[in-house]
């Protein structure tokens, strides 16, 4: 039976938290033992509750526990798990054909996804897209395209950035542990410059920090050698760092003036997550290229590079591709996910979620004195956790609070260079009551861990 959850979505999974065992329960622990024996220990893990079903804001585990999902598989299931339209579209596609390789014999779904991306992304110029499997692969391809277009090699990235785990994107990612340690040598010609981080740079104005970056590019690199500036408009893994207003715009302008390709990495921020289709929309930033993935296809693996047609066409014919990029199942899912986002007005949902999360986080901050900064946009909000009334990171308390939430059946994620950020990324179809219940658990976890 289908249960109408809110006006926004339909799922057969009851939308309530229900704990019937400890978490993880006995059946999850059995699976965890098999995992320990069979899966490389290098693959990380957050919460060993093994999932059998999910929908709306709920994950159901093998022991029958119903967990509240405030992570959305790291900002992927924006439309919810097994969103009805996605299920229908993928089922139809899997019965029709599963794979041809778009480079061998093409199909409409790939073209239609590119049309949608060209339509939805910012910029009134002629656009084209190319499809890939993962965010990291999209970022790699954006660099290939920018280098082919400019004939230059240098790539500018930022402190706290995350762009992936492949060789090139490891070099672009800022944080050593766990992403890079012992995995070098890294790709050359990647240059890391300061990020506007209002909580830690004394609230310096965006254009002022951008001037530092620009001066470093001029003095240390030479703008004429730079192929691309790559930036997350709100940093994801870095801890939802929102640059001060004007930072992105000043860099965008500098890139234009110097023939540098400005690449917005919207892999975590895209597809209604921040209350707009893309985070760039908030300040009216128009990138030359945008990388997308995660939320694009309701949980199926798909990623894209979209941007100015002349730039997208600058690599030689055959220069871009891959066996599975734009797989027919992922394309069917993406078209259905985009329809769902439009039909359910998920940008508005993200804004409503922001107002709930912001109010609740502010109350926790006032009650505890250990939340130094509340930031983010839309359904992408974070709390930076500090020693009482200071700006000194408290990663230990952060991980204890996250674990306490997990034990109570609420999936929250941590982030940040200093490991002291709790980030909230619910599916955009979560109901208000469920979201509030998740935040009740978060609040109680703070109070218990601080023994207030
Ligand atoms: N760019 C902005 O957020 C992926 C990483 C999870 P892939 N972030 C989640 C982990 O620990 O591996 C991400 C991102 C931004 C690029 C990527 C990379 O996307 O699909 O994981 O390759």
């Amino acid at each position: 039976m289908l249960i109408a959850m809110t006006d926004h979505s339909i799922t057969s999974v009851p939308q309530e938290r229900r704990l019937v065992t400890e978490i993880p329960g006995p059946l999850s622990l059995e699976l965890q033992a098999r995992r320990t024996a069979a899966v490389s220990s290098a693959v990380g893990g957050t919460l060993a509750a093994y999932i059998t079903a999910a929908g709306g804001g709920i994950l159901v585990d093998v022991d029958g526990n119903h967990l509240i999902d405030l992570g959305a598989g790291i900002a992927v299931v924006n439309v919810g798990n097994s969103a009805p339209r996605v299920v229908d579209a993928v089922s139809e596609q899997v019965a029709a054909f599963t794979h041809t390789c778009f480079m061998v014999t093409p199909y409409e779904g790939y073209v239609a996804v590119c049309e949608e991306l060209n339509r939805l992304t910012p910029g009134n110029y002629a656009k084209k897209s190319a499809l890939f499997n993962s965010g990291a692969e999209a970022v790699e391809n954006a660099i290939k395209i920018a280098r082919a277009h400019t004939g230059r090699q240098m790539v500018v990235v930022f402190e706290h950035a995350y762009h992936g785990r492949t060789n090139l994107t490891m070099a672009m990612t800022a944080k050593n542990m766990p992403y890079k340690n012992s995995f070098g040598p890294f790709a050359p010609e990647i240059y890391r410059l300061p990020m506007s981080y209002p909580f830690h740079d004394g609230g310096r104005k965006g254009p002022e920090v951008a001037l530092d970056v620009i001066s470093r590019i001029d003095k240390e690199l030479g703008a004429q050698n730079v192929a691309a500036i790559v930036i997350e408009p709100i940093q994801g893994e870095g801890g939802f760092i929102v640059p001060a207003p004007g930072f992105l715009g000043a860099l965008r302008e500098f890139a234009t003036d110097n023939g540098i390709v400005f690449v917005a990495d919207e892999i975590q921020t895209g597809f209604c997550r921040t209350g707009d289709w893309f985070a760039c929309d908030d300040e009216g930033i128009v990138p030359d290229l945008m990388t997308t993935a995660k939320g694009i296809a309701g949980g199926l693996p798909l990623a894209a590079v979209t941007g100015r047609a002349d730039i997208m066409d600058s690599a030689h014919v055959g220069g871009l591709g891959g066996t599975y990029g734009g797989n027919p199942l992922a394309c069917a899912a993406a078209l259905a996910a985009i329809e769902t986002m439009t039909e359910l007005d998920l940008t508005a949902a993200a804004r409503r979620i922001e107002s709930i999360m912001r109010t609740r986080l502010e109350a926790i901050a006032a009650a505890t004195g250990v939340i130094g900064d509340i930031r983010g946009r839309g359904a992408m909000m974070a709390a930076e956790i500090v020693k009482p009334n200071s700006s000194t990171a408290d990663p230990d308390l952060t991980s204890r609070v996250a674990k306490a939430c997990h034990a109570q059946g609420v999936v929250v994620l941590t982030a940040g260079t200093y490991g002291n950020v709790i980030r909230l990324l619910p599916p955009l179809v979560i109901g208000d009551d469920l979201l509030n219940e998740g935040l009740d658990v978060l609040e109680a976890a703070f109070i218990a861990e601080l023994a207030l």
Side-chain angles (χ1 to χ4, degrees):
M1 191 186 68
L2 290 181
I3 294 172
M5 180 178 84
T6 64
D7 303 339
H8 304 282
S9 177
I10 291 179
T11 174
S12 58
V13 178
Q15 294 298 296
E16 58 186 36
R17 183 172 64 119
R18 194 189 303 156
L19 304 188
V20 295
T21 68
E22 290 203 346
I23 295 177
L27 296 175
S28 276
L29 289 174
E30 271 176 34
L31 286 166
Q32 186 69 357
R34 280 172 54 195
R35 169 184 171 146
T36 304
V39 180
S40 163
S41 60
V43 178
T46 299
L47 168 57
Y50 284 72
I51 302 305
T52 54
I58 289 288
L59 302 165
V60 183
D61 77 11
V62 283
D63 292 286
N65 298 298
H66 287 48
L67 318 179
I68 299 180
D69 181 11
L70 301 184
I74 322 189
V76 171
V77 286
N78 294 4
V79 294
N81 257 293
S82 299
R85 275 181 188 278
V86 173
V87 171
D88 289 350
V90 173
S91 305
E92 208 172 292
Q93 181 60 49
V94 79
F97 67 96
T98 47
H99 176 81
T100 62
C101 187
F102 187 73
M103 300 185 303
V104 179
T105 46
Y107 39 89
E108 183 180 353
Y110 188 116
V111 178
V113 170
C114 292
E115 288 168 347
E116 287 295 83
L117 287 166
N118 300 343
R119 180 176 70 81
L120 291 167
T121 50
N124 293 325
Y125 45 74
K127 279 179 242 162
K128 290 194 176 184
S129 294
L131 304 182
F132 305 97
N133 301 292
S134 70
E137 204 188 340
V139 173
E140 294 243 0
N141 278 281
I143 302 302
K144 284 161 71 169
I145 293 164
R147 284 178 171 159
H149 176 72
T150 57
R152 308 172 183 176
Q153 296 183 352
M154 290 179 171
V155 174
V156 168
V157 294
F158 293 84
E159 292 168 349
H160 313 289
Y162 184 92
H163 297 291
R165 294 176 183 261
T166 58
N167 187 261
L168 176 58
T169 59
M170 264 195 297
M172 298 171 69
T173 289
K175 197 174 171 182
N176 178 50
M177 281 300 263
Y179 306 122
K180 303 165 76 163
N181 194 53
S182 80
F183 296 152
F186 302 112
E189 297 301 328
I190 308 295
Y191 299 88
R192 189 173 313 288
L193 292 172
M195 176 69 185
S196 166
Y197 190 165
F199 182 57
H200 285 294
D201 60 21
R204 286 177 74 203
K205 299 259 184 280
E208 188 189 327
V209 184
L211 263 187
D212 277 359
V213 173
I214 289 166
S215 141
R216 296 260 314 260
I217 293 176
D218 280 333
K219 299 286 177 302
E220 297 173 22
L221 311 180
Q224 70 279 10
N225 299 313
V226 177
I229 295 175
V230 184
I231 190 159
E232 301 154 82
I234 298 176
Q235 289 183 324
E237 303 304 304
F240 292 7
I241 301 167
V242 185
F247 180 72
L248 295 171
L251 294 177
R252 161 70 279 187
E253 199 181 316
F254 172 75
T256 305
D257 293 347
N258 290 279
I260 298 169
V261 178
F262 185 87
V263 183
D265 180 345
E266 292 245 19
I267 287 164
Q268 191 152 159
T269 47
F271 296 100
C272 306
R273 174 59 53 188
T274 62
D276 286 300
W277 276 94
F278 297 98
C280 278
D281 295 331
D282 183 65
E283 279 191 84
I285 304 296
V286 178
D288 299 311
L289 298 181
M290 182 184 282
T291 54
T292 54
K294 290 188 183 281
I296 189 176
L300 274 83
L302 186 68
V305 183
T306 299
R308 290 184 187 274
D310 61 320
I311 301 181
M312 289 299 296
D313 283 344
S314 32
H316 53 277
V317 174
L320 305 180
T323 305
Y324 289 119
N327 168 272
L329 302 181
C331 288
L335 294 170
I338 290 168
E339 260 178 47
T340 304
M341 290 177 220
T342 308
E343 184 187 67
L344 302 183
D345 195 3
L346 292 188
T347 53
R351 290 177 192 191
R352 200 185 69 248
I353 291 169
E354 168 174 350
S355 77
I356 294 174
M357 294 199 295
R358 196 178 278 283
T359 310
R360 298 295 308 270
L361 289 173
E362 277 165 2
I364 300 174
T368 62
V370 296
I371 295 182
D373 194 23
I374 295 165
R375 58 175 179 255
R377 196 184 302 140
M380 182 171 183
M381 295 294 298
E384 180 158 345
I385 297 169
V386 292
K387 305 278 185 199
N389 307 309
S390 75
S391 59
T392 312
D394 194 341
D396 175 58
L397 176 62
T398 308
S399 103
R400 283 191 287 125
V401 168
K403 286 200 171 73
C405 290
H406 300 164
Q408 289 303 314
V410 176
V411 179
V412 297
L413 305 174
T414 58
T417 300
Y418 315 108
N420 68 326
V421 175
I422 287 194
R423 56 172 159 164
L424 305 173
L425 288 164
L428 305 181
V429 293
I430 194 170
D432 293 358
D433 292 350
L434 201 61
L435 176 60
N436 268 307
E437 189 183 346
L439 295 165
D440 290 342
V441 169
L442 178 66
E443 182 166 29
F446 269 100
I447 305 237
E449 290 307 316
L450 291 164
L452 288 175

